[in-house]
Each structure stands twice: as structure tokens, then as C-alpha cells.
Amino acid sequence: MSDNPRVTSGIPGLDEMLGGGFVPRSAALVRGAPGTGKTTFGLQYLIEGVQRSEPGLFVSFEEFPQSLYRDAASLGWDLPALEAQGKLHLLFTSPQVLLHSLAAPESSIAQRFQAQGIQRVVIDSLTHFTQHTPDPQELRAIYNQVVNALRREDVTALYLAEEMRSDYTSEERGRLSFVVDCLIMLRYLEIDSTIQRAMTILKMRSSRHDTAIHSYAIGPNGITIGKPLEGKSGLLSGLVKRSMISTVE
Ligand SMILES: Nc1ncnc2c1ncn2[C@@H]1O[C@H](COP(=O)(O)OP(=O)(O)OP(=O)(O)O)[C@@H](O)[C@H]1O
Ligand SMILES: [Mg+2]
């Protein structure tokens, strides 16, 4: 697979961490606490697709169009204009409707993938499927259904998910991390009395990848990866609440 061209993330510094970018037609999960930049990550990935003539679809269960447009505009991305040009597509729906639609091969969403030549998909966020069922087995089946349906569509998919504080240490419900090919974790860390954002790749099938924990920043053009955090230990073991960040060392 090493001679396969990779799918670039659009996030400066991340492709190097990914060994060149996402593996084409793979499923990546970006998991993080509230406000860590998951939606920004997803939009930035699709904006990169716009620049490379790789049309993308952003599926939102969460935000209303106006609020997504406003957030994107603050990062310099004019989503309505890109939609009007057919370079990027937005779908505001519910988990139930999406599941139903993906299950039917001739559904409107499958037709949409073909008609619009969609190559990149972002789903914001998979966490909404947890409300679908209390049963972990059924939840895992749902995750498999979604991921496999998008694999059939030949797209490189990015799934966003909220990280529960217990996910890293205890068994995560639905075992989403096992279903995907690539797992990227976004975290808040308290280091020397300041809050820093940190990103790490916990898993990547069929590729080498960087195992360091990197700082990252969200600025006027989106996310940029910073230096690896060196000389610290226990970085991934603590935290994560917006209002109460605990010490990790
Ligand atoms: N234009 C901008 N300039 C600088 N920072 C920004 C900008 N837009 C967003 N941010 C930062 O990104 C954070 C939120 O990003 P985003 O909405 O992508 O996070 P999220 O993980 O999707 O959040 P949620 O869990 O609430 O959905 C903000 O709290 C802010 O710190
Ligand atoms: Mg979000």
C-alpha cells in the first residue's frame, strides 16, 4: 500500500504524523472532548478536498446550518458559496434517517454520492448513535453498518465523536475504536499551569504513523499541529472537562 497516494488532511503537520495522509477509502475517527476542534477538523478536511477537486459531504446531526456557516466563516470558509459551486455539500439530518438511507443501496444518499462524485465524507458526530440503543452489541452493529456502507461508496470517511472521560481507561460502549482504521485523539492538557491542546494518533491500520503527542492550535485558518510534547509523562491518563481541567502529571 505504500505506493498508494494518500488523502491529504488539510491540517498543516498532520499528514506527516499520518505517514503521508489518510489511507484512501479508510475510516478515521477523530475523538475529543467538547470544544477540542472536532467540527473544525472535519471542515478543514473538506476544504482541503475543495482545493484538490475532491468533492466532500458534511453530515451534521448537531448544528443548524446557520451556526455551522457562522463558525466556518470565522475560519475564513464560505460554505454557502462552496455549496452553490457544487464543491462541497452539507446534509443536516438525523442518525435514524441516515441509517435508513445507507441501508438501501438505491437510496437518495447513495445516488447523491455518485451524482456529486463525493470522495470525502465527514459525520458530525457518531456519538448521536448512542441515543439509538442502550445495547452495546446493537450499537456496535450500527457503527459497523455505517462504516461499511461508506466503505462501499469508495469514500475516505472521517467520523467525529465526543470523548467520554472513561473511554480511554474502560471499555468504550459500542467499541467504536475497533471498527475504524485510524484513531486520532484530541485532548486538553494542563502543563505548567496552562491549558494546551494535544493531538495523538492512537491507531492506524496499514501504515506507519507518528506515536508522539503533539500540541496543536486553532487559529484564523483552522488547526495547525505544533511540536511534540516531550519530557512529560502520563499525558493521556487524566482529565477532560471544559470547566475543570485536571492535572495530568
Ligand atoms: N476562528 C477561530 N479562531 C480561533 N479559534 C477558534 C476559531 N473558531 C473556533 N475556534 C476554537 O475552536 C473551538 C471549538 O471548535 P469546534 O467547534 O471545532 O470544536 P468541537 O470539538 O466540534 O466542539 P463541540 O464538542 O462543542 O462540538 C472554540 O472553542 C475555539 O477555541
Ligand atoms: Mg462540534
Side-chain angles (χ1 to χ4, degrees):
M1 299 293 283
S2 58
D3 54 351
N4 237 2
R6 294 297 183 94
V7 177
T8 51
S9 66
I11 295 176
L14 182 60
D15 292 341
E16 291 76 5
M17 289 174 70
L18 291 165
F22 295 110
V23 173
R25 292 174 292 284
S26 66
L29 174 63
V30 177
R31 160 165 265 161
T36 44
K38 302 178 295 295
T39 301
T40 305
F41 191 123
L43 288 172
Q44 201 164 337
Y45 169 67
L46 296 187
I47 295 291
E48 169 74 1
V50 168
Q51 275 147 17
R52 293 180 170 264
S53 301
E54 297 169 9
L57 174 68
F58 190 95
V59 180
S60 178
F61 302 141
E62 199 152 285
E63 287 192 60
F64 289 108
Q66 293 315 323
S67 107
L68 191 68
Y69 292 155
R70 188 201 54 219
D71 292 354
S74 83
L75 295 157
W77 303 324
D78 186 347
L79 299 187
L82 295 172
E83 271 188 292
Q85 293 160 23
K87 294 178 173 171
L88 190 151
H89 306 273
L90 301 173
L91 176 61
F92 297 90
T93 186
S94 69
Q96 289 83 351
V97 170
L98 183 72
L99 257 188
H100 187 259
S101 185
L102 287 174
E106 295 310 316
S107 66
S108 58
I109 193 159
Q111 287 171 15
R112 180 176 193 153
F113 281 119
Q114 280 152 31
Q116 297 172 336
I118 304 292
Q119 296 181 40
R120 297 174 176 232
V121 174
V122 174
I123 297 192
D124 190 5
S125 74
L126 277 194
T127 308
H128 286 71
F129 285 104
T130 57
Q131 291 153 13
H132 214 76
T133 172
D135 177 18
Q137 302 292 339
E138 194 183 344
L139 187 59
R140 188 169 190 182
I142 289 172
Y143 288 150
N144 270 308
Q145 192 183 335
V146 173
V147 170
N148 289 335
L150 290 188
R151 281 192 211 283
R152 278 199 302 275
E153 299 297 336
D154 263 3
V155 297
T156 308
L158 205 64
Y159 302 97
L160 312 181
E162 282 176 25
E163 185 192 35
M164 309 307 161
R165 190 173 176 176
S166 58
D167 282 350
Y168 190 68
T169 46
S170 65
E171 190 184 40
E172 128 211 38
R173 204 164 76 86
R175 300 174 66 110
L176 181 52
S177 309
F178 292 87
V179 176
V180 293
D181 307 300
C182 170
L183 173 57
I184 298 174
M185 186 84 90
L186 310 184
R187 290 246 164 157
Y188 293 115
L189 301 176
E190 180 188 326
I191 299 172
D192 302 333
S193 304
T194 61
I195 300 303
Q196 295 199 18
R197 299 177 193 269
M199 187 182 305
T200 191
I201 300 167
L202 288 184
K203 152 180 173 175
M204 192 161 174
R205 287 182 185 143
S206 55
S207 175
R208 65 171 181 82
H209 66 88
D210 191 340
T211 53
I213 301 167
H214 286 254
S215 62
Y216 70 94
I218 308 178
N221 301 311
I223 297 173
T224 310
I225 306 292
K227 292 188 303 242
L229 297 165
E230 288 167 347
K232 314 279 179 192
S233 60
L235 287 176
L236 291 181
S237 60
L239 63 142
V240 184
K241 272 188 191 161
R242 234 179 200 162
S243 55
M244 198 181 72
I245 310 289
S246 52
T247 306
V248 292
E249 293 192 69

